[in-house]
Amino acid sequence: MKRKILMSIMLFSALAMFGSTIYAATFLNYGYPSSTIPIRPYNYTSTWQAPMDASIANWNNAGAKVQFTKSTNSPNTITAGNFNNTAYGVNYASVSGSQVVSFRIELNASTISADATNLSNFIQSVFVHELGHSVWLGDNPTTSSPSIMSYTRNRNSMTKPQTFDINNVRSRY
């Protein structure tokens, strides 16, 4: 009996020490089924195109085991424009079971432009965040670690997935 209790305490302690980063994640109940995620090519002025392309590179180079690729056949679309809501960006996902079948990301130029002190960084922060929803990440994880998924992040300076985000995506793929 004492041995079972001791083993339980040791197991719980190990999980608490080494699993806390993953445990604190806020996951969606769905994500893209493959670690290669196609998106339809988009074409905007360089003010928007360059930071949007950088956002894809930020995920692809993060070591999160996911790759966003451009494909004309993709059902996944990205649109930057003026939308009638107060959000900086929204990811509308079509889901079947636990799998994203397709998604549509809208980047709201009116709200982003109104609040950005560094427009390029702000666009990247919002787009990287919205792409995170495609790979299982939910908003506002319970963590003191920096996270691109946190609403309180500085969008003018945080433009890449953080270690916390990367580790949580890696746990899903």
Side-chain angles (χ1 to χ4, degrees):
M1 179 71 171
K2 286 184 179 180
R3 187 175 182 174
K4 280 186 177 181
I5 293 171
L6 181 60
M7 291 299 286
S8 295
I9 291 170
M10 288 173 56
L11 179 61
F12 179 75
S13 297
L15 287 172
M17 280 180 16
F18 299 110
S20 62
T21 299
I22 301 298
Y23 179 77
T26 301
F27 289 112
L28 297 173
N29 294 326
Y30 54 84
Y32 211 77
S34 167
S35 62
T36 301
I37 302 112
I39 57 173
R40 194 171 303 153
Y42 46 80
N43 187 18
Y44 293 100
T45 66
S46 61
T47 301
W48 282 80
Q49 185 80 24
M52 290 170 70
D53 288 346
S55 299
I56 292 170
N58 290 346
W59 268 114
N60 290 350
N61 298 327
K65 297 184 357 183
V66 294
Q67 292 289 305
F68 290 91
T69 61
K70 292 184 181 179
S71 170
T72 55
N73 308 5
S74 176
N76 307 314
T77 60
I78 316 300
T79 306
N82 294 311
F83 299 100
N84 291 328
N85 61 55
T86 59
Y88 295 123
V90 180
N91 184 326
Y92 298 101
S94 295
V95 177
S96 176
S98 65
Q99 296 185 352
V100 171
V101 176
S102 65
F103 60 84
R104 180 181 87 245
I105 293 175
E106 293 179 351
L107 303 175
N108 196 341
S110 58
T111 55
I112 290 172
S113 297
D115 291 348
T117 57
N118 182 321
L119 183 60
S120 178
N121 283 0
F122 211 99
I123 293 166
Q124 284 182 66
S125 185
V126 172
F127 192 22
V128 169
H129 173 97
E130 296 307 330
L131 289 171
H133 290 309
S134 302
V135 291
W136 299 88
L137 298 181
D139 289 322
N140 289 320
T142 306
T143 181
S144 58
S145 298
S147 172
I148 197 71
M149 301 310 292
S150 173
Y151 281 165
T152 60
R153 74 190 182 281
N154 184 334
R155 291 169 182 82
N156 290 296
S157 61
M158 186 183 290
T159 62
K160 297 179 180 181
Q162 302 296 294
T163 301
F164 178 82
D165 307 308
I166 295 163
N167 289 339
N168 287 305
V169 170
R170 288 177 64 89
S171 75
R172 294 294 181 164
Y173 290 98

